[in-house]
Amino acid sequence: MPKVKAEKKARVHEEVYKQGILFNTDFGQHILKNPLIVDAIIQKAALRSMDTVLEVGPGTGNMTVKMLDKAKKVVACEIDPRLVAELQKRVQGTPYANKLQMVVGDVLKTDLPFFDVCVANLPYQISSPFVFKLLLHRPLFRCAVLMFQQEFALRLVAKPGDKLYCRLSINTQLLARVDHLMKVGKNNFRPPPKVESAVVRIEPRNPPPPINFQEWDGLVRIGFVRKNKTLGAAFKNKSVMDMLEKNYRIHCSVKNELIDESFDMKQKVMDILEKNEFDKMRARMMDIDDFLRLLQSFNAEGIHFS
């Protein structure tokens, strides 16, 4: 690679930290430098002295050290070995050293340990998969206080009819109570990200809703592929019909139920939608109760989504 191009790439992807660390923005490394915001996040997490805290993306440990002071243990997940070494060096020889456990690697590919509270300044590119990894984790944790790109945070809390209301909104709110806590300007980070950020508090519903999440998500996905379309139009998609018919035939086979030769899956689906007055409804206006009722209507007729 020519020297000029290499230098340009280095400027785009990395910024030198005052301690000599190169922050790699490909990993989403934007270190929160404002101590007031660090303190506010920790306060919102309401840590207890016997808590185990899961932190994702601890960076150089600005938030980690303060949480070690309040909690029994911090399990810090970090993908960059350089930052792992930096954080270990920071607590070496202090009372915090025995309270810190480092997990090196990609958190999406790691089995999460037991924890009471999760606090994270997340790499924004893993926001959605991490939220669902967290919400499907067992045993349930008490709460999570997480930093996201502002638009992603607003999607998490959006309500039916809102412009940003989407599959992410309804799936998250099915499994948890979500509160938008604060906006965080880009200048509070080193290096500054290109977008504004926000902090969200997520509290899992306990007990969790008694439904098969994979099946729920299968239904919601169909509704939100074109959220402004009516459900009647959304369900006429050929691939959707093929999937539902395949699942229906498996269901009947397991139940030893015969299927009439004149069986028409499309007609059956449309009949269910019309009978329950869902055919003219649009996903963007439907709440959790609407989708639960729709799922029950399909399941009662042997139609499943996973």
Side-chain angles (χ1 to χ4, degrees):
M1 182 185 291
K3 185 178 178 183
V4 174
K5 283 189 176 180
E7 288 176 351
K8 184 178 180 183
K9 184 176 181 183
R11 285 197 301 272
V12 169
H13 293 298
E14 300 176 329
E15 180 170 312
V16 179
Y17 180 57
K18 63 182 179 181
Q19 294 178 358
I21 295 173
L22 293 171
F23 287 150
N24 187 340
T25 53
D26 283 349
F27 284 162
Q29 288 176 356
H30 299 280
I31 307 301
L32 184 58
K33 66 180 183 178
N34 186 333
L36 295 178
I37 294 175
V38 170
D39 289 343
I41 290 172
I42 294 173
Q43 182 184 10
K44 295 294 186 183
L47 299 182
R48 302 170 187 171
S49 61
M50 295 307 292
D51 280 344
T52 294
V53 182
L54 174 68
E55 185 182 13
V56 181
T60 54
N62 292 344
M63 192 144 54
T64 318
V65 170
K66 293 188 176 185
M67 292 194 295
L68 286 166
D69 191 48
K70 293 180 176 293
K72 180 181 178 182
K73 180 181 180 181
V74 173
V75 181
C77 296
E78 176 56 62
I79 197 169
D80 189 338
R82 303 169 309 152
L83 293 177
V84 172
E86 181 65 27
L87 183 47
Q88 287 174 326
K89 186 169 69 177
R90 186 167 179 172
V91 300
Q92 192 174 10
T94 73
Y96 300 146
N98 293 331
K99 298 169 72 175
L100 175 65
Q101 176 186 337
M102 296 299 306
V103 176
V104 187
D106 184 343
V107 71
L108 296 181
K109 299 174 182 176
T110 303
D111 290 334
L112 298 181
F114 167 83
F115 60 97
D116 299 290
V117 176
C118 178
V119 179
N121 173 18
L122 281 174
Y124 292 161
Q125 61 266 36
I126 70 166
S127 295
S128 186
F130 181 73
V131 165
F132 289 105
K133 184 179 179 77
L134 206 57
L135 289 173
L136 298 173
H137 176 69
R138 297 294 181 269
L140 288 172
F141 54 96
R142 192 166 71 247
C143 77
V145 179
L146 308 172
M147 180 90 72
F148 294 117
Q149 182 177 332
Q150 185 174 321
E151 183 174 309
F152 183 88
L154 293 176
R155 288 182 188 278
L156 288 177
V157 299
K159 300 299 181 188
D162 291 352
K163 183 180 178 182
L164 291 176
Y165 186 62
C166 60
R167 176 173 153 237
L168 173 71
S169 318
I170 195 167
N171 279 353
T172 307
Q173 291 167 35
L174 171 78
L175 299 172
R177 174 182 168 177
V178 192
D179 295 302
H180 184 284
L181 299 180
M182 64 181 112
K183 293 180 182 178
V184 182
K186 58 183 77 171
N187 292 330
N188 291 289
F189 299 87
R190 183 188 295 111
K194 295 177 180 177
V195 294
E196 301 297 317
S197 302
V199 179
V200 168
R201 185 178 190 275
I202 296 176
E203 185 179 331
R205 299 197 185 280
N206 192 4
I211 63 169
N212 179 324
F213 181 75
Q214 279 67 38
E215 180 160 25
W216 159 274
D217 186 47
L219 169 60
V220 168
R221 188 188 297 266
I222 294 167
F224 277 98
V225 165
R226 295 284 184 272
K227 67 178 182 179
N228 292 320
K229 274 190 172 184
T230 63
L231 290 182
F235 273 88
K236 285 176 182 173
N237 179 284
K238 185 179 185 303
S239 62
V240 171
M241 280 296 169
D242 289 346
M243 180 269 290
L244 293 180
E245 180 161 356
K246 180 183 174 185
N247 289 352
Y248 182 71
R249 291 186 179 278
I250 291 171
H251 169 81
C252 290
S253 174
V254 170
K255 297 281 187 180
N256 290 320
E257 295 175 3
L258 294 175
I259 300 176
D260 194 278
E261 287 184 9
S262 62
F263 174 74
D264 184 337
M265 191 69 204
K266 184 176 179 180
Q267 189 60 53
K268 185 176 180 69
V269 168
M270 292 304 131
D271 286 348
I272 293 170
L273 290 174
E274 290 170 15
K275 176 184 171 184
N276 295 282
E277 299 182 340
F278 280 112
D279 55 316
K280 298 288 193 293
M281 294 183 74
R282 301 170 199 272
R284 66 181 178 86
M285 300 301 294
M286 293 170 63
D287 62 17
I288 288 171
D289 288 341
D290 291 328
F291 273 101
L292 283 173
R293 194 160 59 85
L294 179 58
L295 182 59
Q296 288 165 356
S297 299
F298 277 119
N299 287 174
E301 297 289 336
I303 295 177
H304 295 272
F305 296 84
S306 67

